[in-house]
Amino acid sequence: MLLLVGLGIYGYAGLSVKALDSLLSITNIYVEKYTSPMLESEIDNLKQILNKEVKVVPRWFVEDGREILQLAKSNDIALLVYGDPLIATTHIDLRVRAENNGIKTRVLHATSSITSIIGECGLHMYKIGKIITLTSEIQSISSIYYTVYGNILSGNHTLVLLEYNQEKNLFLNPNNAFEMLLKSEIDQKYNVFSTETFAIVASRVGSENQSIVSGKIKSLIETEFGEPPHSLIITGNLHFTEIDALRVLIKTIDEPTDNSKNIMKIAEQMIMKYVPKARKALEHAKNLVNDDTSFNDIFENAEYYISDAEKFLQQDKPELAVLSIGYAEGLIDTIRFLKGVNMWE
Amino acid sequence: MLLLVGLGIYGYAGLSVKALDSLLSITNIYVEKYTSPMLESEIDNLKQILNKEVKVVPRWFVEDGREILQLAKSNDIALLVYGDPLIATTHIDLRVRAENNGIKTRVLHATSSITSIIGECGLHMYKIGKIITLTSEIQSISSIYYTVYGNILSGNHTLVLLEYNQEKNLFLNPNNAFEMLLKSEIDQKYNVFSTETFAIVASRVGSENQSIVSGKIKSLIETEFGEPPHSLIITGNLHFTEIDALRVLIKTIDEPTDNSKNIMKIAEQMIMKYVPKARKALEHAKNLVNDDTSFNDIFENAEYYISDAEKFLQQDKPELAVLSIGYAEGLIDTIRFLKGVNMWE
């Protein structure tokens, strides 16, 4: 039998009565500490509270999994992991492989840093969009950019987990993360990140020296956050009770602001840009053919559809807005083809 | 001092060493059980493990909060709540009010049903979109519909929590929930829900008689799921390791299928519908003016922009695709205004 036990976010003292009870009868206890920091003293405390030996195993050992699975065929084995054990795909994979090999599995869930961080900030769980991990690899940045963009457009917050690998002594600090996010703006240009963007940095949540700080990126980028692990939250639209919570429950350097205010849907950007252009071209076209009444219907309809584009946008029907402005442009442009003039200049 | 303690998903046995230690010195212990079921026997076990009295308090008592806050000014008070305590906005609100009144607060996080359910199903945490609650009120359904639609368009799964209120003995069972979702399709028409939609029902996660079943809605709607609480997951695009996990870790009635296959962006629907229409109208228009070469440029450009619409859609630029087809329609339609003919019929 393979038992996956979550250690939660409080170290050995976070183990539940149920977990301690289950571990009582198990001799083979493994601990993996590669996804989160765990000091030697923490391992010692774990041995003491369990009153038995535990084997600290490296990342490859869990990912490979063969030794654990071999042993679990005829023995009860427990693997202790930080947080809620099935958040990491490695542990799901191990469980599936065990069951496929006829090995019974059980899971004892535990406190996850994900729900704890969101709660500690006083943010509403149902306003959290897709969760992502930012790694130091430059390739990961564009998918982060579009995830945050999409979440903010829907008014949602984005929890950004920062790469942490104790084995390789590799972790991304929030200051570098903000630099990466600001740099991504130069390429993508949807106004997702600027030095004015409001964000939250949650550090060491669950530990004695937990720290949560919010503010604009320009303030946070110059703040020292100390030891990992860290996570960021890029907020979307903030409910007033969320703003209250940020002010009262965590350290807030700058006034919380609504990051969604500077962000527009692609369709919205198009309408803002193309409507005035089309209006100007239409006036120009009218002047160019002012003695010819055969175009009156075309001009009237163009005007009508330009207004429609604005109306559809207000009604949150961006696709119809874009269709309307495209149609108006088509009508106007026929004057160019028929009269050989350019009214767009 | 006000201490908010999460009970997690395992009842009294889920209390951590840290929580038991903290509760040792606190005399005033309240338990709220209105967001999740808690049997009398569970309360008895709680008293036994804590070796002291606990007061079970109703919903209004926590929402009102005045008595708790008054007492907490000069006493240490603990409020025990199911799951991770700050997932419910009521508890965040209580904490903020306490701090605003100069009352120190502490939180002991615990296992949340949210991360547990996702893990038990073997789904990837970073593929979970916005989380929502479905209530029996008919008004909630359209926001659920569009949340699931948005999540699936982004390839994400949707965790749908079902209304639960023990005090009012009010809970939504999965069968009724599926009926509501199928009914919403009749109004909205984006192919989000049909009897073929793949979904998961997670019941009583954490308890001894936990059950998780997946399948098509047509199978699930006829399944008996037993006592609450229940949650649903409407899956989006499934990774092959997620499919493996569903097959091995939970009961899967029907083969897992990709719910995103039948769902199209609004822009996509427009292009699929308008491109063939525009092609036909263009041919018709050409025939109507076949002796007049002055429209050649217009026809050429219309053809070019219709093709562009298809290309932009393939390149995942839906806004440009809609703009192009709108422009082509505008060009074609001028023939109608100038020649007094209708080529769209």
Side-chain angles (χ1 to χ4, degrees):
Chain A
M1 194 270 292
L2 173 63
L3 177 65
L4 293 168
V5 181
L7 281 165
I9 62 167
Y10 296 117
Y12 75 99
L15 279 173
S16 64
V17 174
K18 194 178 175 79
L20 288 174
D21 194 49
S22 301
L23 291 170
L24 211 62
S25 58
I26 298 180
T27 318
N28 299 288
I29 299 180
Y30 295 85
V31 187
E32 71 90 331
K33 55 169 199 168
Y34 67 84
T35 49
S36 190
M38 205 184 286
L39 302 171
E40 268 318 304
S41 60
E42 188 63 29
I43 303 288
D44 289 339
N45 285 329
L46 206 53
K47 286 176 187 168
Q48 216 176 330
I49 199 169
L50 296 174
N51 195 23
K52 60 182 89 174
E53 270 308 303
V54 302
K55 291 172 204 141
V56 179
V57 290
R59 183 186 192 115
W60 69 261
F61 185 87
V62 181
E63 282 176 349
D64 175 85
R66 281 177 294 183
E67 196 173 322
I68 296 178
L69 295 180
Q70 189 54 42
L71 245 165
K73 275 188 183 167
S74 39
N75 301 275
D76 285 350
I77 287 197
L79 177 64
L80 273 53
V81 298
Y82 174 83
D84 196 358
L86 297 184
I87 297 296
T89 49
T90 312
H91 304 136
I92 298 177
D93 177 55
L94 191 67
R95 191 179 178 198
V96 170
R97 284 164 66 199
E99 293 278 351
N100 274 334
N101 278 289
I103 300 162
K104 272 201 172 179
T105 61
R106 275 178 60 214
V107 180
L108 286 174
H109 293 278
T111 318
S112 165
S113 60
I114 292 174
T115 49
S116 305
I117 289 169
I118 293 159
E120 285 292 313
C121 296
L123 298 177
H124 298 176
M125 191 65 205
Y126 65 86
K127 288 188 68 188
I128 305 296
K130 189 175 169 153
I131 292 169
I132 40 175
T133 299
L134 179 60
T135 70
S136 49
E137 287 164 37
I138 203 74
Q139 302 97 291
S140 80
I141 191 72
S142 96
S143 101
I144 305 286
Y145 190 93
Y146 285 99
T147 301
V148 175
Y149 179 56
N151 282 343
I152 293 183
L153 279 180
S154 315
N156 297 327
H157 315 311
T158 312
L159 175 60
V160 184
L161 306 173
L162 300 184
E163 184 178 17
Y164 182 79
N165 187 325
Q166 194 175 40
E167 222 168 49
K168 294 183 184 165
N169 199 22
L170 186 76
F171 67 89
L172 193 59
N173 76 42
N175 316 77
N176 290 344
F178 286 128
E179 264 171 41
M180 288 173 74
L181 297 177
L182 289 178
K183 231 177 242 171
S184 70
E185 188 60 48
I186 299 168
D187 297 326
Q188 313 292 346
K189 296 188 176 57
Y190 289 124
N191 284 325
V192 178
F193 299 111
S194 79
T195 51
E196 296 295 311
T197 302
F198 192 80
I200 305 172
V201 179
S203 305
R204 303 169 299 279
V205 167
S207 78
E208 289 301 315
N209 62 345
Q210 165 177 316
S211 142
I212 308 184
V213 185
S214 75
K216 294 180 173 177
I217 288 183
K218 67 179 174 192
S219 307
L220 297 174
I221 210 165
E222 295 187 337
T223 304
E224 175 59 57
F225 297 102
E227 290 294 303
H230 308 281
S231 302
L232 313 180
I233 295 174
I234 311 297
T235 50
N237 173 272
L238 287 161
H239 190 263
F240 72 92
T241 59
E242 292 181 311
I243 293 177
D244 281 351
L246 291 177
R247 285 194 185 124
V248 174
L249 303 181
I250 68 169
K251 185 178 168 190
T252 293
I253 306 176
D254 305 302
E255 269 302 283
T257 49
D258 182 350
N259 286 333
S260 68
K261 282 212 170 136
N262 300 315
I263 293 186
M264 282 191 288
K265 286 182 189 167
I266 295 173
E268 230 176 310
Q269 295 177 21
M270 284 177 156
I271 301 302
M272 305 288 269
K273 192 169 148 191
Y274 296 155
V275 160
K277 269 193 176 172
R279 284 225 163 89
K280 210 172 140 193
L282 178 60
E283 285 317 304
H284 203 163
K286 280 181 185 171
N287 291 333
L288 288 167
V289 298
N290 64 352
D291 51 344
D292 189 345
T293 58
S294 60
F295 296 109
N296 282 0
D297 278 355
I298 290 179
F299 293 148
E300 251 177 56
N301 274 279
E303 210 163 301
Y304 181 74
Y305 276 89
I306 294 171
S307 302
D308 261 13
E310 293 181 313
K311 263 184 242 159
F312 282 133
L313 193 64
Q314 279 165 16
Q315 294 167 11
D316 199 25
K317 293 173 180 165
E319 297 84 0
L320 284 177
V322 172
L323 190 72
S324 298
I325 194 67
Y327 180 82
E329 286 178 346
L331 290 183
I332 297 167
D333 229 17
T334 45
I335 310 299
R336 181 161 66 94
F337 296 123
L338 295 172
K339 295 280 178 180
V341 291
N342 193 346
M343 72 297 286
W344 297 96
E345 284 169 351
Chain B
M1 192 271 292
L2 174 62
L3 177 67
L4 293 168
V5 182
L7 281 166
I9 61 168
Y10 297 116
Y12 76 99
L15 279 173
S16 64
V17 174
K18 193 179 176 79
L20 288 174
D21 195 48
S22 302
L23 290 169
L24 211 63
S25 58
I26 298 179
T27 319
N28 298 289
I29 299 179
Y30 295 85
V31 187
E32 71 90 333
K33 56 169 199 169
Y34 67 84
T35 48
S36 190
M38 203 183 286
L39 302 172
E40 267 318 304
S41 60
E42 188 63 28
I43 304 287
D44 288 339
N45 286 328
L46 206 52
K47 287 177 188 168
Q48 217 177 329
I49 200 169
L50 296 174
N51 195 25
K52 62 182 88 175
E53 268 310 301
V54 301
K55 291 172 204 139
V56 180
V57 291
R59 185 188 190 113
W60 68 262
F61 185 86
V62 180
E63 281 175 352
D64 176 84
R66 282 176 295 184
E67 196 173 323
I68 296 177
L69 295 180
Q70 190 54 42
L71 245 166
K73 275 188 183 167
S74 40
N75 301 274
D76 286 350
I77 287 198
L79 177 64
L80 273 54
V81 299
Y82 174 82
D84 197 357
L86 298 184
I87 296 296
T89 50
T90 312
H91 305 135
I92 298 177
D93 178 55
L94 191 67
R95 192 180 177 198
V96 170
R97 284 165 66 200
E99 292 278 350
N100 274 335
N101 279 290
I103 299 162
K104 273 200 172 179
T105 61
R106 274 178 62 213
V107 180
L108 286 174
H109 294 277
T111 318
S112 165
S113 60
I114 293 173
T115 49
S116 305
I117 289 170
I118 294 160
E120 285 292 313
C121 297
L123 298 177
H124 298 177
M125 191 66 206
Y126 65 87
K127 288 189 68 187
I128 305 296
K130 189 175 169 151
I131 292 168
I132 40 174
T133 298
L134 180 61
T135 71
S136 50
E137 287 164 36
I138 202 75
Q139 302 97 293
S140 80
I141 191 73
S142 96
S143 100
I144 306 285
Y145 190 93
Y146 285 99
T147 301
V148 175
Y149 179 55
N151 282 343
I152 293 184
L153 279 180
S154 314
N156 297 327
H157 314 312
T158 311
L159 175 60
V160 184
L161 305 173
L162 299 184
E163 184 177 17
Y164 182 79
N165 186 326
Q166 194 174 42
E167 223 168 45
K168 294 184 186 164
N169 199 22
L170 186 76
F171 65 89
L172 192 59
N173 76 42
N175 316 77
N176 290 343
F178 286 127
E179 262 171 43
M180 288 173 74
L181 297 178
L182 289 179
K183 234 178 239 170
S184 70
E185 187 61 46
I186 298 166
D187 297 326
Q188 313 293 345
K189 299 190 174 58
Y190 290 125
N191 284 325
V192 177
F193 299 112
S194 79
T195 50
E196 295 295 310
T197 301
F198 192 79
I200 304 171
V201 179
S203 306
R204 302 170 300 279
V205 168
S207 78
E208 289 299 314
N209 62 345
Q210 165 179 315
S211 140
I212 307 183
V213 185
S214 75
K216 294 181 174 177
I217 288 183
K218 67 179 175 192
S219 308
L220 297 175
I221 209 164
E222 295 188 338
T223 303
E224 175 59 57
F225 297 101
E227 289 297 302
H230 307 281
S231 303
L232 313 180
I233 296 174
I234 311 296
T235 50
N237 171 273
L238 287 160
H239 190 263
F240 73 91
T241 59
E242 293 181 310
I243 294 177
D244 280 352
L246 291 177
R247 285 193 185 125
V248 174
L249 302 181
I250 69 170
K251 185 179 168 187
T252 292
I253 306 176
D254 304 300
E255 269 302 283
T257 49
D258 183 350
N259 286 332
S260 68
K261 283 212 170 135
N262 300 315
I263 292 185
M264 281 193 287
K265 286 182 188 165
I266 296 174
E268 229 175 312
Q269 294 177 23
M270 284 176 156
I271 301 303
M272 305 289 268
K273 192 169 147 191
Y274 296 156
V275 159
K277 268 194 179 172
R279 284 226 163 89
K280 209 172 143 195
L282 179 60
E283 285 317 303
H284 203 163
K286 279 181 186 171
N287 291 334
L288 288 168
V289 298
N290 65 353
D291 53 343
D292 188 344
T293 59
S294 58
F295 296 109
N296 282 358
D297 277 355
I298 291 178
F299 293 149
E300 251 178 53
N301 273 280
E303 209 164 300
Y304 180 75
Y305 277 88
I306 294 172
S307 301
D308 261 11
E310 293 181 311
K311 264 184 238 156
F312 283 132
L313 193 66
Q314 278 165 14
Q315 294 166 12
D316 199 25
K317 293 173 180 164
E319 296 85 0
L320 285 177
V322 172
L323 190 72
S324 297
I325 194 67
Y327 181 81
E329 286 178 347
L331 290 182
I332 297 166
D333 229 16
T334 46
I335 309 298
R336 179 160 68 93
F337 297 122
L338 296 172
K339 296 280 179 180
V341 291
N342 191 346
M343 74 296 286
W344 296 98
E345 283 168 349

